[in-house]
Every structure is written in structure tokens, then in C-alpha cells.
């Protein structure tokens, strides 16, 4: 609190708060029955990240005979969305009940937690339960909950849990109770929000999707729910501010897509208007949810060979309500029996003959369907949701569509609880579980699966926060990264990052609060020394610009890669921080995961998942390793492309990697490709012109010539570099080979030259000679060629690249499955792809495309096909029928 910068900021915040009170006079937390209680605060506070004000709980009518200690966090994580309601908390060492006199009916309860050290209260001891009760009922929301474990598992600074309860009579009471199972436990809460809603859950009667005969499953109006997922399928995150009815958060769905088969995403045609229908009141979901969608893609044959699948981790032992939001938003789909599909939940048929037009009554009209499933088993499990064309009525298109998906956990009536399984309690430091002395030390930062109590919902907030913030922080980190003595500034004391709290805008989609979170694990230097046998040369895995990389072992047996920065490297300071900021927020199957870092004694050490097979480059040339097969190479390309595609589109704002090359694509023990090294990453570019970089960074041989010329960074620079990677994989030679004749030095130039002359096949890796199916080769070469186009505007998006690589893989697989067909087949008349499967004389025949029209840009797909099925900006990722 004494920090001068912080005081200034607090003053600014107060000012902002007054201003915003004046501007939004009706933003009164009680006017609409909404309550926002900033626990531990004594005066009204705000604005929060959504520009709303909160009331303090001190002397609040909702906090009768208030007990507990009002505390302020000693450290403001740069990942916090805003100071309000997170920086203050109320701590309870014995049970305490807040009591809210509410009008009877259904309401959301949101609990805000910022696990941090509050005075002498350590996060590790914050184990507690929360119960919601009223005259008629009692519902356990949380049990032996530890917010820091959950936040850590989700790599978030803070978490918000959302419940919906129906209060039939009396007050809504929320009781916080320290765990009785762990000595010294205390409970805490930073904020409580209550938002009255209509009955959102009981109509229409959901279907119990239990395989056999789907039966109606009426939901008791008294049921309590916990929100697990709320996805704007095919679209971007929607912040609470943009869902003004109930301040809900919606997440993008990209991170939940299973395997490479992710279909295509698209928005509505501009002349389509979203119309709410009588059975879909307009508070059901914001327009933006219905205005974007994901479908399977333009190729009927491909669609028949895969399921468009999402996997969503949930707690076993509960019923779940799944709400699917639908709306046809592109022509020519206006009539019934044009698009008809199955909905599978947990591999069981929940719905046959799903026809959105039939349900909604026309294009642009909304619909939703509800299903209930029971998750049997124990611990945490994946909920599987899949779509597949249903051919039973011979629809015009073999495709499926989804616009939104919500998943709610239903209270377990057996024990009136919504609390999922938590990880086991730590042993008390003083009394071990078996009375043994020296019980395990409670660790607040144990990398583990997402905590059961939280599920995925808190993840929503990652996306909502918007990675845009990263960029602002990063710009500042750039200045602050180096202190006077040329040393780097340790992250938590980076005062510059604090200054972001006040930067706040109400503009849609650009929030300027800070990010989640640096809650990745903090290692002591001693731990790192122990893990690497004091940086034993025998453990050295490699050397890079940033420093050495060692193999290490932590937690008795987990292998990790430990990257030790050279403290003398000035550039390293900024990159170290960027890497932590980027990686602690991004989680994707094709991005390397950061486990933690060490900053003791001016060290800059990063700890990552160990990638058993090292870099992609070491499997391509200058090595004595067995050559990778072509299919393996394609799969690696696809994986890396997915990682990059996710960076470009998966988060709310584009992240540009800036240093895509074969040494930054790593391979794990299953040969899964993971993009690494975010030290140079940038967010941007279009949203903010200030991202014109003055210093061109990156690696020679991979540098986008346009970036070089204009010094303007876009995601197309990554596409260029990735094109070089594709050629490198195909030709097995470095991006730059200075010893070769001049025209061959640059692989990009040379390969492009050969491709234009039709002789690319003469410079490919000799190990691949005769192994690549001709159509696959054509597709691959054409993709790589487009990527390295001189002008960024001519380059495809990463999504298009992914689509084409998947397509190439499919061509290769079909050829291998049916090798007789590949002999002597010209690439113009591919027998491998049979795009049209049934022949009815539909006037708008949109499926008579051949593989040759599947051009790289996606635009040509649109032009040969009707725009009904493919977005103008296809950033499709097709599938891989042999799929994982
Ligand atoms: C569904 O099937 C996939 C493989 O086909 C399997 O991995 C997964 O566990 C199944 N899911 C459930 C919930 O049964
Ligand atoms: C799609 O999922 C259903 C249900 O799990 C399964 O029966 C079917 O085989 C799957 N189809 C494909 C092509 O994977």
C-alpha cells in the first residue's frame, strides 16, 4: 500500500470511479435486484473490469454482525482483471453467514476469489466450504475448497465461480466455513455477486441422452446449478459487459475442439438478421453467440469420415445439463432438410435428424435444445460432444452446425451438493494424517489437473480478459524489463505492470486490465540446482540465444527442461518476462507448457515440460537420426500449424509468434509437435497501430520480407516463416546455407524458384523420393508456396494453411490406403476425393467441387461453392479421417 505508484493508481481509480458513477447513474448495484459486494472493503468501490461499481461489506446490511478480518492482498498479481473486487478480501477463521434479502426466484451467485497472501494468512491454509441456503433448502457449493490450487491449475490469477439457485422463501444465506479437516484453515472471499434471472433451466424439458431411447428429463425447479462451460462456438469470447442481461462470460470454443478435426468457423451473412423466436427469449444468449458458428466444412466425403468433437473436463458423479444453441446464418440454408445431423453426447446418440431450420423456422432464427446426461465414474472425466451428418432423409448437405454450447452441473440431490472432488487435503504440518511427524508440507503450487470444484468455467475468464492486455503489458515490460544496473526486474515487483489497472475502456473487445496470471510455479534456485545436479554438463540438452537448456528432474521423477538465461543478456530480460506472461496464459496441445520459473539471485530460469524428441530440426538434417516418414512430417506440420493458428485466433486478440522456425517446434515422446519460445511474441497488430515495431526481430532465413521492408508486423509474418519451415521439412536443408551457390543460399527463394519452374520435386529430401503421393505433394508445395508469397496479403491465414495441410494428409492417407490408385494418376483428376456423394438435382449444387478447386486461400472455395457452407474467410481446419 505504501508503494507510491500504487497510491497514485488508487487515486486515479477513485477518480474514475466517481466519474463512472456520474456517467452510469443507473449502474446501481441494487436497482435491478443485483448485488455486488466487495468483501473487505468499507466504501463503494469500482469500477471493475466491466465498469461496474461494488459496495463494501463493512457495515453492509447484507453482512449482519460482521465477523472476520478485512484484509488487502500484499501483492497485486499483474494477471488480475482489475483491483475491484480482488485486492480486498474478508477472512473468516470461524463460520460466517452473509444474508441477502432477495425476491423469490432464480438467481446467479458469483463468487470471486483471488488466492494470495493476505497479511499473515497463507494461501495454503485457505481450505473452506461455502453453502447457499434459504428457508426451504440448503445447498453445498464448495467443500474443502482451495482457491489457489484451482487457480494454479487453470493458470489464472483469480477465479470466478458461477452458480444458479432458486430461492423460494426467505433470505439467501451464504455461509463460509473453514475446513474442519485441516488445522489452521480459514475461509476467504473477495467478492459476491447476485444477479436475479428468470427461470433459465426448466423449459423446454430436456432429453435424457442415455443412448437407447432418449426420455424426457424434467428438472425440478428447485435444482441448483453450477456453470461449467459457456461457449460461443465458432466465435470469440464475449465479456460480461457484452452480455448485459446477466453479465455472463462466454468463451471461444477452440481450445475444447478434439484433435485436428475442427471444421470451419464463420459469421452470419450480412443480410441475415438474428431474430429471437418465442421459445428463445432474447436473454437466452447474446446475438453474438448466434451470429457465429462452426460447421464441419465444405467437403461431404470428409465430413462423413469424422465427427466434429469437443471434449470438456467435468466431475464424475453428477448430472449435467447441456444446452446447444443453433441458428442458420448463411445462405443458401433456408429450408428444411438441407442440413441434418446427429448430436452425440458421450458417444451416445442424443439427437437424430437435427434440423436447425425445422426447429427455428428459418434462416437467422434462433433455437436451442437441452439434454441431460449423467457422468458415471470417478474423479474428473471428459464430457464428449460430437456432431455428424445424418443422411437418413437425404439432406442436401452432409454437414452439421453449432453456434453455442452451455454445460451446467446439476446439484446432487443425495447430498444436496454441487461440490466436486478436490485434490486431497495436504497433511497438517503439525499433525500428519497417520500421526506421523513431518507430514507433507502443504504446497500451494502443485501442478495438477484442473481442480474438480472449478471445472472449466473459470477458464472462460482467460479468454474474456483478452490477450490484448498482454500486448500492453508487454510494451511496458519492454521499458521496465531493464533496471538501471542493466539487470532484469523481478516480475512480481514490476511496478509498471501495476499501472495497467487504471487503463480501462468500455469498448467492446478491448479490455485493458491485466492478465491472468503468473501463478505458475515458483522454484527456488536450490530446487533448480538439485534438479539439474547443479547444472551438470551431462544434463545439458542444448544451447540457445537465451542460454543453456538442461534436462532436470523435479518432484522425484518428473522430467523437465530447464532453460537458464544468461543474466548478462539484455535482450533476455524482456524475453524472459514475455515468455512467462505468454505461456502462463496459453494452454494448448500444440504449445509447449511452462511449468514454472526461478528468479532468485537474478537468475532467469524457465522450467518447461520435457520434450523427449527435442527440436524438429534435429530430425531433419545434420544428424544421425532415422529420417521422419512423410506422414510423420505432415502430422508435425499440422500440429505446429494448429499451435500457431491458436495463437492467431484462439485468444481474444491475435498473438504473433515472430520467431517461427524448426528449432522452435519441439516434439514430445509421442511425436506431438509443440510450438515453443515465445520470447519475441507480440500481440496485435490491427487493433493498435503502435505495434509497428522499430526493431526487426526474428531469425534470418525465416524473416518475412514485407516485415523487413515495412517494419509492420502481422500474423502473416508467422505464415511466411511457417512456409519456410514447410520447405525445410520437405527439402531437409537449412533455411540459410551460406556455402551453397548464391541463388540457393536462401531456401525460401530457391524453393520458390524451383516450384515456379515445376522442379521442386528435384530438391526434396532424398529420403522422401517416391514416398509422397503426387496429389499430396502438389497440395503441400502449393501451400508452402503461398505462405512465402512476397506480399502478406497474398498469403493464406494460418487456418487456411491448416486446412490445406490436413487435406494434404488426407490425400496421402487415401493414396497409401489404396496405393494402386496412386500409380499414374494425374493430380488434376483425383480419384481419391469424391466430393459429391449423392445426386439429387438440387439447383444450387454446391458440392461439385473437385480437389483442384480446394485452393489455398479458402476464397476460391467460397467462389466455387455457395457461400452457404463456407465462410468467406475460411479458417477451417479440416480433419484427418484417420484422426487421432
Ligand atoms: C468416446 O469415444 C472415444 C474414442 O472413440 C473415447 O476415447 C472416449 O473415452 C469415449 N468417451 C466416453 C465418455 O465414453
Ligand atoms: C461419431 O461418433 C459416434 C458416437 O460416438 C460413433 O458411433 C461414430 O463411429 C463416430 N463416427 C466417426 C466417423 O468417427
Amino acid at each position: 500500500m505504501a508503494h507510491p505508484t500504487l497510491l497514485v493508481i488508487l487515486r486515479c481509480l477513485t477518480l474514475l470511479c466517481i466519474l463512472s458513477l456520474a456517467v452510469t447513474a443507473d449502474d446501481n448495484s441494487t436497482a435491478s435486484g443485483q448485488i455486488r459486494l466487495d468483501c473487505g472493503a468499507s466504501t463503494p468501490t469500482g469500477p471493475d473490469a466491466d465498469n461496474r461499481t461494488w459496495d463494501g461489506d463493512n457495515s453492509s446490511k447484507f453482512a449482519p454482525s460482521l465477523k472476520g478480518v478485512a484484509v488487502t492482498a500484499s501483492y497485486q498479481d499483474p494477471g488480475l482483471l482489475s483491483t475491484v473486487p480482488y485486492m480486498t478480501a474478508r477472512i473468516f477463521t470461524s463460520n460466517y453467514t452473509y444474508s441477502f434479502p432477495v425476491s423469490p426466484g432464480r438467481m446467479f451467485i458469483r463468487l470471486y476469489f483471488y488466492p494470495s497472501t493476505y497479511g499473515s494468512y497463507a494461501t495454503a491454509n485457505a481450505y473452506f466450504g461455502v453453502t447457499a441456503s434459504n428457508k426451504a433448502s440448503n445447498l453445498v457449493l464448495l467443500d474443502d475448497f482451495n482457491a489457489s490450487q484451482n487457480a494454479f491449475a487453470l493458470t489464472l490469477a483469480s477465479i470466478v465461480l458461477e452458480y444458479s439457485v432458486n430461492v423460494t422463501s426467505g433470505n439467501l444465506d451464504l455461509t463460509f466455513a473453514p475446513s474442519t479437516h485441516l488445522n489452521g484453515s480459514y475461509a476467504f472471499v473477495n467478492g459476491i455477486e447476485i444477479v436475479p434471472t428468470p427461470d433459465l433451466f426448466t423449459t423446454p424439458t430436456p432429453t435424457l441422452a442415455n443412448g437407447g431411447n432418449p426420455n424426457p428429463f424434467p428438472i425440478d425447479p428447485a435444482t441448483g446449478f453450477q456453470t461449467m462451460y459457456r461457449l460461443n462456438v465458432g466465435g470469440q469470447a464475449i465479456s460480461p459487459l457484452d452480455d448485459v442481461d446477466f453479465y455472463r462470460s462466454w468463451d471461444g470454443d477452440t481450445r475444447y475442439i478434439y484433435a485436428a478435426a475442427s471444421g470451419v468457423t464463420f459469421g452470419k451473412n450480412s443480410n441475415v438478421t438474428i431474430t429471437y423466436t418465442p421459445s428463445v427469449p432474447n436473454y437466452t444468449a447474446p446475438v453474438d453467440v448466434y451470429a457465429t458458428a462452426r460447421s464441419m466444412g465444405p467437403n461431404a466425403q470428409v465430413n462423413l469420415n469424422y465427427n466434429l468433437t469437443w471434449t470438456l473436463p467435468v466431475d464424475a458423479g453428477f448430472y449435467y445439463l447441456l444446452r446447444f444453441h443453433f441458428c442458420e446464418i448463411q445462405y443458401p440454408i433456408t429450408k428444411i432438410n438441407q442440413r441434418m445431423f446427429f448430436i452425440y453426447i458421450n458417444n451416445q446418440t442424443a439427437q437424430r435428424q437435427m434440423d436447425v431450420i425445422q426447429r427455428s423456422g428459418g434462416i437467422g432464427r434462433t433455437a436451442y435444445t437441452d439434454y441431460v446426461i449423467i457422468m458415471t465414474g470417478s474423479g474428473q472425466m471428459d464430457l464428449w460432444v460430437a456432431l455428424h451428418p445424418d443422411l437418413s432423409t437425404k439432406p442436401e448437405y452432409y454437414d452439421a452446425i453449432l453456434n453455442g454450447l452451455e454445460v451446467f452441473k446439476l446439484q446432487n440431490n443425495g447430498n444436496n451438493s454441487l461440490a466436486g472432488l478436490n485434490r486431497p487435503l495436504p497433511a497438517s504440518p503439525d499433525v500428519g494424517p497417520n500421526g506421523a511427524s513431518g507430514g507433507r508440507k502443504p504446497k500451494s503450487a502443485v501442478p495438477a489437473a484442473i481442480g474438480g470444484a472449478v471445472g472449466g468455467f473459470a477458464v472462460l475468464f482467460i479468454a474474456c480478459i483478452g490477450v490484448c492486455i498482454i500486448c500492453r503489458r508487454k510494451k511496458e515490460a519492454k521499458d521496465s524489463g531493464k533496471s538501471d544496473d542493466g539487470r532484469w526486474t523481478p516480475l512480481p515487483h514490476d511496478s509498471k505492470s501495476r499501472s495497467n489497472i487504471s487503463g480501462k475502456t468500455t469498448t467492446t473487445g478491448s479490455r485493458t486490465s491485466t492478465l491472468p496470471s503468473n501463478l505458475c510455479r515458483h522454484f527456488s534456485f536450490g530446487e533448480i540446482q538439485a534438479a539439474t545436479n547443479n547444472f551438470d554438463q551431462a544434463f545439458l540438452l542444448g544451447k540457445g540465444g537465451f542460454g543453456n537448456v538442461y534436462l532436470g528432474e523435479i518432484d522425484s521423477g518428473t522430467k523437465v527442461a530447464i532453460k537458464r538465461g544468461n543474466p548478462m543478456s539484455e535482450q533476455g530480460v524482456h524475453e524472459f518476462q514475455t515468455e512467462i506472461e505468454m505461456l502462463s496464459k496459453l494452454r494448448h496441445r500444440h504449445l509447449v507448457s511452462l511449468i514454472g520459473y526461478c528468479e532468485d539471485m537474478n537468475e532467469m530460469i524457465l522450467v518447461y515440460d520435457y520434450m523427449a524428441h527435442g527440436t524438429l530440426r534435429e530430425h531433419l538434417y545434420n544428424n544421425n537420426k532415422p529420417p521422419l516418414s512423410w506422414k510423420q512430417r505432415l502430422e508435425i506440420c499440422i500440429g505446429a500449424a494448429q499451435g500457431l493458428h491458436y495463437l492467431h485466433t484462439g485468444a481474444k486478440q491475435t498473438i504473433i509468434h515472430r520467431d517461427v522456425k524448426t528449432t522452435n517446434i519441439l516434439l514430445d515422446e509421442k511425436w506431438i509437435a509443440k510450438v515453443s519460445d515465445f520470447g519475441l511474441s507480440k500481440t496485435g497488430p490491427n487493433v493498435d497501430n503502435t505495434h509497428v515495431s522499430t526493431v526487426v526481430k526474428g531469425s534470418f532465413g525465416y524473416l518475412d520480407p514485407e516485415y523487413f521492408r515495412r517494419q509492420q508486423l502481422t500474423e502473416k509474418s508467422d505464415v511466411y516463416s511457417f512456409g519456410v519451415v514447410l520447405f525445410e521439412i520437405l527439402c531437409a536443408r537449412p533455411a540459410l546455407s551460406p556455402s551453397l551457390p548464391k541463388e540457393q543460399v536462401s531456401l525460401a527463394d530457391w524453393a520458390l524458384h524451383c516450384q515456379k519452374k515445376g522442379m521442386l520435386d528435384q530438391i526434396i529430401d532424398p529420403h522422401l523420393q517416391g514416398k509422397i503421393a503426387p496429389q499430396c505433394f502438389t497440395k503441400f508445395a502449393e501451400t508452402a508456396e503461398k505462405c512465402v508469397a512476397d506480399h502478406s496479403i497474398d498469403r493464406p491465414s494460418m487456418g487456411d494453411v491448416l486446412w490445406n495441410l490436413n487435406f494434404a494428409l488426407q490425400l496421402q492417407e487415401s493414396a497409401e490406403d489404396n496405393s494402386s490408385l496412386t500409380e499414374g494418376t494425374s493430380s488434376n483428376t483425383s480419384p481419391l476425393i469424391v466430393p459429391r456423394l449423392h445426386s439429387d438435382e438440387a439447383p444450387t449444387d454446391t458440392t461439385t467441387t473437385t480437389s483442384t478447386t480446394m485452393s489455398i486461400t479458402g476464397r476460391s472455395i467460397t467462389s466455387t461453392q455457395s457461400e452457404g457452407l463456407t465462410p468467406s474467410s475460411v479458417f477451417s481446419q479440416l480433419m484427418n479421417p484417420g484422426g487421432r
Side-chain angles (χ1 to χ4, degrees):
M1 278 303 287
H3 196 291
T5 323
L6 192 56
L7 287 179
V8 171
I9 292 159
L10 286 176
R11 234 167 272 145
C12 294
L13 277 178
T14 318
L15 220 134
L16 264 175
C17 159
I18 293 165
L19 282 176
S20 84
L21 274 178
V23 173
T24 54
D26 61 353
D27 179 30
N28 181 324
S29 67
T30 43
S32 51
Q34 297 190 4
I35 295 169
R36 285 185 291 278
L37 209 53
D38 183 354
C39 302
S42 42
T43 50
T45 57
D48 65 7
D50 298 304
N51 213 21
R52 299 179 300 164
T53 55
W54 294 63
D55 292 319
D57 70 342
N58 201 2
S59 67
S60 159
K61 62 179 170 183
F62 307 128
S65 35
L66 184 57
K67 291 194 300 192
V69 194
V71 288
T72 304
S74 33
Y75 162 56
Q76 182 178 333
D77 191 292
L80 285 181
L81 285 170
S82 59
T83 51
V84 175
Y86 297 107
M87 282 304 283
T88 60
R90 175 106 18 214
I91 289 198
F92 305 105
T93 50
S94 59
N95 292 8
Y96 177 74
T97 302
Y98 288 98
S99 191
F100 303 95
V102 293
S103 311
R106 188 160 279 285
M107 59 201 69
F108 283 124
I109 301 172
R110 297 194 184 108
L111 302 178
Y112 291 71
F113 298 106
Y114 170 42
S116 182
T117 302
Y118 295 97
S120 57
Y121 298 92
T123 42
N125 289 335
Y127 276 89
F128 57 95
V130 181
T131 307
S133 45
N134 63 79
K135 270 211 184 95
S137 66
N138 224 18
L139 176 62
V140 177
L141 305 182
L142 291 169
D143 190 19
D144 282 341
F145 172 71
N146 181 274
S148 73
Q149 279 192 351
N150 287 281
F152 178 77
L154 297 165
T155 66
L156 291 172
S158 55
I159 41 186
V160 183
L161 302 181
E162 184 184 275
Y163 302 90
S164 172
V165 298
N166 193 355
V167 177
T168 46
S169 68
N171 286 3
L172 168 64
D173 290 340
L174 286 179
T175 303
F176 291 80
S179 170
T180 51
H181 301 124
L182 181 72
N183 289 352
S185 296
Y186 67 91
F188 81 101
V189 61
N190 303 83
I192 301 172
E193 180 185 1
I194 293 172
V195 179
T197 67
D199 170 18
L200 296 170
F201 297 101
T202 58
T203 51
T205 300
T207 304
L208 182 65
N210 62 348
N213 274 335
N215 288 315
F217 184 94
I219 291 185
D220 180 341
T223 305
F225 299 86
Q226 181 181 356
T227 307
M228 305 303 286
Y229 297 94
R230 187 176 277 134
L231 305 180
N232 178 18
V233 175
Q236 303 210 309
I238 299 173
S239 80
L241 196 60
D242 298 324
D243 184 2
V244 290
D245 293 307
F246 312 125
Y247 292 108
R248 293 166 295 196
S249 282
W250 298 74
D251 193 7
D253 68 325
T254 312
R255 78 186 74 223
Y256 305 106
I257 291 281
Y258 176 70
S262 58
V264 298
T265 61
F266 54 94
K268 69 179 187 68
N269 285 153
S270 55
N271 52 351
V272 169
T273 309
I274 305 296
T275 312
Y276 289 92
T277 48
S279 55
V280 185
N282 55 10
Y283 56 72
T284 308
V287 167
D288 287 349
V289 171
Y290 292 107
T292 58
R294 189 181 291 275
S295 72
M296 298 188 74
N299 187 308
Q301 170 70 69
V302 164
N303 295 354
L304 285 183
N305 279 322
Y306 87 110
N307 284 342
L308 182 54
T309 306
W310 294 259
T311 57
L312 306 162
V314 295
D315 298 315
F318 289 90
Y319 283 92
Y320 289 87
L321 172 68
L322 287 82
R323 175 162 297 174
F324 292 72
H325 297 271
F326 296 108
C327 188
E328 288 290 359
I329 49 177
Q330 288 202 342
Y331 292 103
I333 299 201
T334 56
K335 298 193 297 277
I336 58 169
N337 206 26
Q338 285 185 286
R339 167 145 57 193
M340 177 87 77
F341 53 94
F342 287 104
I343 301 174
Y344 300 116
I345 302 175
N346 280 348
N347 301 339
Q348 312 262 15
T349 305
Q351 181 74 55
R352 296 168 205 284
Q353 301 187 351
M354 178 66 207
D355 184 325
V356 176
I357 294 290
Q358 190 204 339
R359 297 252 172 179
S360 69
I363 188 167
R365 293 171 62 85
T366 57
Y368 67 85
T369 58
D370 285 350
Y371 307 91
V372 168
I373 54 116
I374 180 159
M375 294 297 292
T376 50
S378 63
Q380 203 171 50
M381 301 178 75
D382 280 339
L383 171 58
W384 286 63
V385 172
L387 307 178
H388 190 76
D390 183 344
L391 310 190
S392 56
T393 58
K394 294 203 181 345
E396 192 174 332
Y397 304 106
Y398 293 181
D399 199 0
I401 182 176
L402 183 62
N403 305 64
L405 178 63
E406 291 176 279
V407 178
F408 304 97
K409 185 200 271 180
L410 273 66
Q411 82 178 69
N412 178 336
N413 285 328
N415 55 3
N416 286 332
S417 175
L418 275 165
L421 283 177
N422 292 302
R423 269 181 301 283
L425 288 173
S428 296
D430 41 355
V431 186
N434 314 316
S437 61
R440 280 176 303 139
K441 195 166 150 257
K443 276 202 231 166
S444 60
V446 181
I450 292 171
V454 173
F457 181 68
V459 178
L460 297 182
F461 289 81
I462 294 177
C464 290
I465 292 148
V467 178
C468 56
I469 303 144
I470 294 177
C471 80
R472 284 163 223 252
R473 293 218 50 227
K474 194 131 8 56
K475 275 192 297 170
E476 288 162 21
K478 195 171 188 170
D479 315 328
S480 66
K482 202 159 45 107
S483 54
D484 298 339
D485 59 355
R487 294 249 153 161
W488 65 291
T489 314
L491 281 171
H493 315 296
D494 174 2
S495 63
K496 287 281 172 59
S497 62
R498 289 202 183 104
S499 63
N500 293 296
I501 343 150
S502 56
K504 186 174 309 238
T505 116
T506 54
T507 328
T508 315
S510 70
R511 290 206 193 181
T512 22
S513 51
T514 48
L515 285 185
S517 114
N518 294 333
L519 273 184
C520 56
R521 183 164 168 184
H522 219 118
F523 288 90
S524 70
F525 190 61
E527 282 176 283
I528 301 286
Q529 282 177 307
T532 56
N533 198 15
N534 201 14
F535 304 102
D536 191 332
Q537 290 299 305
F539 287 54
L540 193 63
L541 291 172
K543 295 180 190 233
F546 178 87
N548 291 347
V549 184
Y550 299 86
L551 173 61
E553 213 177 270
I554 57 166
D555 301 341
S556 50
T558 309
K559 282 189 176 164
V560 292
I562 295 182
K563 192 153 123 182
R564 185 187 195 189
N566 172 5
M568 291 306 154
S569 141
E570 287 191 12
Q571 201 187 20
V573 175
H574 175 227
E575 291 171 11
F576 178 69
Q577 299 189 331
T578 307
E579 181 100 0
I580 293 175
E581 287 171 14
M582 286 282 173
L583 273 180
S584 56
K585 272 109 234 170
L586 298 170
R587 296 190 313 142
H588 189 271
R589 177 179 161 86
H590 294 290
L591 300 180
V592 164
S593 327
L594 181 68
I595 294 172
Y597 64 95
C598 166
E599 48 163 357
D600 292 2
M601 307 165 65
N602 275 329
E603 289 282 346
M604 294 185 286
I605 295 173
L606 296 166
V607 182
Y608 301 90
D609 271 349
Y610 174 60
M611 295 289 126
H613 285 300
T615 69
L616 170 57
R617 179 172 301 171
E618 68 197 73
H619 296 279
L620 293 176
Y621 46 85
N622 297 343
N623 64 56
N624 28 26
K625 301 191 171 161
L628 298 172
S629 75
W630 178 239
K631 233 177 96 177
Q632 234 172 346
R633 295 186 205 201
L634 278 176
E635 278 165 357
I636 289 166
C637 293
I638 290 168
Q642 274 185 286
L644 290 172
H645 176 54
Y646 173 75
L647 285 182
H648 291 176
T649 63
K652 196 160 185 175
Q653 199 187 15
T654 305
I655 299 171
I656 303 167
H657 185 287
R658 288 223 293 179
D659 201 14
V660 176
K661 54 183 177 183
T662 43
T663 45
N664 281 342
I665 296 171
L666 304 183
L667 301 167
D668 74 3
E669 73 285 357
K670 294 185 187 132
W671 299 96
I672 308 286
K674 312 227 177 198
V675 176
S676 79
D677 217 329
F678 294 73
L680 296 180
S681 304
K682 278 266 179 190
T683 51
N686 306 321
V687 190
D688 186 344
N689 296 329
T690 58
H691 288 128
V692 179
S693 174
T694 47
V695 189
V696 173
K697 292 187 178 173
S699 299
F700 286 106
Y702 296 92
L703 268 185
D704 169 9
E706 190 171 88
Y707 173 39
F708 214 88
R709 281 195 302 272
R710 300 174 48 196
Q711 313 225 329
Q712 182 153 11
L713 190 63
T714 72
E715 68 270 29
K716 293 292 182 70
S717 302
D718 284 350
V719 174
Y720 181 92
S721 309
F722 190 71
V724 179
V725 167
L726 293 179
F727 281 128
E728 205 176 329
I729 289 169
L730 181 67
C731 304
R733 58 149 278 193
L736 282 184
S737 306
S739 58
L740 289 176
K742 193 158 158 277
E743 70 277 12
Q744 300 185 23
V745 169
S746 155
L747 172 60
D749 293 347
W750 180 235
L752 205 55
H753 171 82
C754 294
Q755 165 73 353
K756 294 210 161 107
K757 289 249 152 35
M759 42 181 264
L760 183 64
D761 56 340
Q762 292 170 28
I763 64 163
I764 70 172
D765 184 353
H767 294 114
L768 296 175
Q769 288 292 354
K771 306 266 171 62
I772 309 180
Q775 300 87 348
C776 174
F777 180 77
T778 306
K779 178 96 280 185
F780 187 89
E782 182 187 293
T783 307
E785 178 187 358
K786 297 264 182 173
C787 288
V788 297
D790 197 43
H791 295 284
S792 60
I793 191 162
D794 299 326
R795 294 176 209 147
S797 71
M798 223 42 236
D800 293 335
V801 174
L802 188 51
W803 193 95
N804 281 277
L805 290 174
N806 270 307
F807 197 72
L809 176 63
Q810 201 202 347
L811 291 167
Q812 181 70 21
E813 285 179 338
S814 316
E816 284 176 12
D817 289 350
N818 200 350
S819 49
S820 62
L821 280 175
T822 64
E823 301 298 331
T825 300
S826 123
S827 60
N828 291 336
T829 56
S830 165
L832 302 174
I833 297 300
V834 187
R836 186 164 170 79
L837 291 178
H838 69 123
S839 52
D840 60 5
E841 49 300 317
T844 49
D845 181 359
T846 62
T847 44
T848 49
T849 173
T850 69
S851 62
T852 50
T853 64
M854 291 286 185
S855 117
I856 175 82
T857 62
R859 260 170 240 111
S860 68
I861 301 175
T862 315
S863 57
T864 49
Q865 300 223 311
S866 141
E867 72 258 56
L869 286 181
T870 6
S872 57
S873 58
V874 174
F875 58 100
S876 54
Q877 310 145 345
L878 252 215
M879 43 70 39
N880 152 11
R884 282 157 283 261

